[in-house]
Amino acid sequence: MAPKSRPSTVSSSTTPTSKAAAATASSTSQLPQDVIMQLWQNYAEKTPQRVKLLDAFMAFLGIVGATQFLYCIIAGNYPFNAFLAGFSATVGQFVLTASLRIQTNPDNKSEFKTVSQERAFADFVLGSLILHFFCVNFIN
């Protein structure tokens, strides 16, 4: 038995406003590669050299942390204190560097009016010394 056909209640014609909206939506949509390239070009052109240097150091710390974690998974964590100290030093240094990046970024100058770049760097150095002092003592 053939299925019964129902009368269509939806109009097959589209309104001019819906066509314009569809055209606008299709013209503003971009491919993911285009978005990534535009993001990279904007970063390369507008980001100061100091901030790029801090970003490179943070990327290095991320790679070191991932390497330590993979080594712990693959080879084991026999000297567990050493793993915890090394991983904590990496994560702590990443957090301190992120804080320095935020404080010294010229775009955030309005939020850190009372903190000079020299003061932010001195805080970074002091925090790094304290962090590494505790990590070295934790190794035992």
Side-chain angles (χ1 to χ4, degrees), residues 57-113:
F57 184 56
M58 289 173 65
F60 169 74
L61 288 171
I63 292 169
V64 169
T67 304
Q68 287 176 340
F69 189 72
L70 286 174
Y71 180 81
C72 179
I73 290 173
I74 294 170
N77 57 359
Y78 165 63
F80 193 62
N81 285 353
F83 166 71
L84 281 181
F87 194 72
S88 299
T90 303
V91 171
Q93 194 66 45
F94 184 89
V95 170
L96 288 171
T97 306
S99 175
L100 178 65
R101 183 192 191 282
I102 291 170
Q103 290 179 1
T104 59
N105 192 348
D107 294 339
N108 299 335
K109 197 167 238 170
S110 63
E111 294 183 31
F112 298 101
K113 294 176 184 174

